[in-house]
Amino acid sequence: MENSTFPPYFNLTMFVNIGNYRYPAFVLCLLLYAFIVLANLVVIVLISREKTLHEPMYIFIMCLSINSLYGSAGFFFRFLRDLLSDTHLIPRTACFTQIYVIYTYASYELTLLGIMAYDRYVAICQPLNYHNKITSKMVSKLIAFAWIYPGFSVAACVHLASSLPLCGNKIPKVFCANWPVVKLSCVSTVINNLVGMFVSTSTVFLPLAFVMYTYIRILLLCRKRSAGFKSKVIQNCLPHIVTFVNYAITVFCDVALSRINLEALNPFLAIILSLEFVVIPPIVNPLVYGLKLPKIRKCVLNMLSCSERTSEEK
């Protein structure tokens, strides 16, 4: 096998035609990343420090924020550098590392949302059994499963893709992605497609289907209850529903984009649609949970009032 079939670099072609817009784009993206880090760190610190928030639902929210920091770091560090660079070659090892980080981030988000849906389902539909089923030990097991299974399944996909002999090195995106690399293969990719389909089904479609099933059960229960009960359910479930719908849309857009010729689109539109997948959820999640859940909102307001008093005393 010739060495040219395993190119040492990949070329991220979607950066072409940005021109002088790279500088305002860099500033905007740097501010976005700073906001993502700050907002998610606030959620993590609050839940870690406040004993009143040491409940399963808030522990899962903290895991979502940790995952947002993980995924955004895997994207923004390289993306910000490429915005200011004249060449957009990424080493082979760095490319497959970025694929692993971004795809595990996506899988973790979905498995965590599935676990959160189960938590809400038990709390609403089986309240008397909640503390028996959702114990601290069960929470640890659920979080471990949410991290471990996607980590190994995505690793299998990345390993198979990295073993393929390639007939090119151009990736029509602003970050490395698995499917564009597989499409460069010089040989059959049947095994890659089968493994990718299995991993997508188990880490994407099954969690999505499970979330939909739990909320159908919750809605059926709400039909028979009072207006006050419905209002409380909506208050507890709305942040999760918003997060779920937002992430489902971004995943759908990313899957759709991977199946079309991005270079045929307007370059700015293609870049914006590509960024949606790795930028919007880390921004929306802390805002939704911080503004909609009373306990977190109260803690944020208390923290702000304490900081104001400290500054006045100085």
Side-chain angles (χ1 to χ4, degrees), residues 12-16 18 21-33 36 71-90 94 98 102 173-176 267-268 270-276 278-279:
L12 302 173
T13 61
M14 285 307 299
F15 284 99
V16 178
I18 294 180
Y21 290 105
R22 70 175 68 181
Y23 302 108
F26 175 84
V27 174
L28 175 61
C29 290
L30 182 61
L31 292 174
L32 281 176
Y33 183 52
I36 288 171
S72 57
F75 168 72
F76 273 102
F77 285 168
R78 181 75 202 189
F79 178 71
L80 291 171
R81 174 185 169 184
D82 282 334
L83 276 176
L84 298 180
S85 177
D86 293 325
T87 61
H88 305 103
L89 297 176
I90 180 170
Q98 188 179 58
I102 290 178
K173 290 178 79 75
V174 292
F175 59 88
C176 288
F268 295 102
I271 290 172
I272 290 171
L273 292 175
S274 297
L275 291 178
E276 181 185 38
V278 288
V279 172

Side-chain angles (χ1 to χ4, degrees), residues 210-225:
F210 180 72
V211 172
M212 294 177 67
Y213 167 77
T214 57
Y215 276 103
I216 289 172
R217 293 290 301 272
I218 291 172
L219 287 173
L220 291 175
L221 178 67
C222 286
R223 289 176 57 190
K224 305 173 184 178
R225 298 299 187 92

